[in-house]
Amino acid sequence: MITRLFLKLTDYPAFRRLVWKPVYELLAKYFRSKEWSLMNYGYAPSPGEPLLTLHPQDKVNRYPIQLYYYLAVKVRLGGCDVLEVGSGRGGGAACLKTYLDPKSITGLDIAGNAVELANEYFGSAGISFVRGSAEQLPFADESFDVVINIESSHTYGSVPQFLSEVKRVLRPGGYLLCADIRTKSDMVLFTQQLKTCGLRMELQEDISDNVRRAIELEEPIKQQRITEHIPKSLQPIFKQFAGVKGSKAHLQLASGELRYFRFVLQKPL
């Protein structure tokens, strides 16, 4: 009952603003496993996409890393200044730095504990993490070549405000790389918001089946982590949050009620 109520309330922007920050603060404070440094639903590649070769220590996070990688390779990151909005525990930004060699990558997250954890685990030359709001980015105009946003925008109170801020901090010719989940009707709205934000749509792709397959393929690892690290009383709601096989997200991706898209947008010169 509590799980169903929580999931229903997250449909409302005011509740999203209220609830997601403390959720991520608590996760970063009490669940400090470096191995679980990415928490997205993951991505299983489509036929024809090249096999991603990972360092041995990264193989445990193969599917969440692939969600980043197969979006990020749509543009060139080498030599670029990159901003990740919604960087969480830092694992995604760290993998982009390792595998795609941007000049610098800055991660921004609303949760202070997550920022602290990310800097502890991954902060180094060329990669850093700061606290801030996606709807009020604490950066100067035209500071970045690429902004990446993975499975985060659905938690924002105002997506148009976020997109306005992205446009402001991007350099002319820069890119927004975005991947996220919505109901079918909300995906129509989100797509319209992207198309009218002042950036040019270069790619719009439904990857719902790729994400669903990744959830199923990652199931043993995810269940083991939850059993080992999450108190038993909290496991039912955390399984919904994490998107295990049989969760609301997994079942609705399979039925088509939920859609997962990736987008590439470019700021005009």
Side-chain angles (χ1 to χ4, degrees):
M1 177 65 179
I2 293 174
T3 300
R4 289 197 298 271
L5 177 62
F6 177 85
L7 293 171
K8 180 62 178 175
L9 286 172
T10 56
D11 290 339
Y12 298 95
F15 186 77
R16 290 200 294 267
R17 278 197 180 101
L18 177 69
V19 74
W20 286 117
K21 181 177 180 293
V23 166
Y24 287 114
E25 293 281 19
L26 289 169
L27 284 172
K29 184 174 182 179
Y30 295 108
F31 176 39
R32 299 180 64 86
S33 170
K34 186 175 183 180
E35 181 184 272
W36 204 351
S37 59
L38 299 99
M39 289 189 168
N40 66 63
Y41 291 153
Y43 179 82
S46 298
E49 288 184 305
L51 178 66
L52 175 57
T53 302
L54 294 171
H55 301 315
Q57 68 270 22
D58 291 332
K59 290 181 179 179
V60 69
N61 286 311
R62 168 171 290 280
Y63 299 102
I65 288 172
Q66 288 177 167
L67 186 61
Y68 277 84
Y69 180 85
Y70 287 104
L71 173 60
V73 294
K74 301 295 183 182
V75 303
R76 183 187 62 83
L77 291 195
C80 291
D81 294 312
V82 177
L83 169 65
E84 182 184 7
V85 180
S87 53
R89 302 162 73 88
C95 289
L96 292 177
K97 189 73 173 71
T98 298
Y99 292 101
L100 294 173
D101 196 32
K103 177 184 176 183
S104 71
I105 185 160
T106 302
L108 176 135
D109 202 89
I110 193 71
N113 287 332
V115 170
E116 179 183 344
L117 193 67
N119 275 314
E120 177 184 337
Y121 287 161
F122 302 113
S124 61
I127 180 169
S128 62
F129 300 88
V130 299
R131 184 177 183 179
S133 169
E135 297 167 55
Q136 193 173 358
L137 298 176
F139 307 107
D141 296 357
E142 301 183 1
S143 297
F144 299 97
D145 302 298
V146 177
V147 174
I148 189 163
N149 185 247
I150 299 287
E151 210 169 288
S152 180
S153 68
H154 67 273
T155 69
Y156 302 162
S158 174
V159 169
Q161 179 61 28
F162 159 64
L163 294 173
S164 175
E165 283 291 275
V166 169
K167 182 183 176 184
R168 180 182 64 79
V169 302
L170 274 177
R171 293 169 182 148
Y175 290 93
L176 168 63
L177 309 176
C178 183
D180 211 347
I181 193 168
R182 297 285 196 283
T183 63
K184 287 199 295 185
S185 60
D186 283 347
M187 187 59 75
V188 172
L189 173 61
F190 183 46
T191 302
Q192 184 63 23
Q193 290 169 332
L194 289 169
K195 288 180 176 179
T196 58
C197 73
L199 305 177
R200 183 173 60 249
M201 184 76 74
E202 299 288 340
L203 174 72
Q204 173 185 337
E205 186 176 3
D206 187 335
I207 58 170
S208 304
D209 190 57
N210 304 79
V211 175
R212 175 193 58 79
R213 288 189 288 116
I215 288 173
E216 295 166 0
L217 290 166
E218 197 185 25
E219 174 72 0
I221 293 173
K222 198 174 287 184
Q223 289 285 3
Q224 180 182 348
R225 286 170 171 169
I226 292 170
T227 299
E228 292 177 351
H229 296 288
I230 303 300
K232 190 171 183 179
S233 62
L234 297 178
Q235 286 180 15
I237 195 167
F238 193 84
K239 286 179 180 180
Q240 293 293 331
F241 169 80
V244 299
K245 187 176 179 180
S247 66
K248 179 180 178 181
H250 172 247
L251 294 175
Q252 291 189 340
L253 280 168
S255 70
E257 295 174 75
L258 282 175
R259 310 311 298 162
Y260 204 121
F261 274 64
R262 62 184 176 193
F263 303 91
V264 177
L265 297 96
Q266 187 176 28
K267 182 175 179 176
L269 293 170

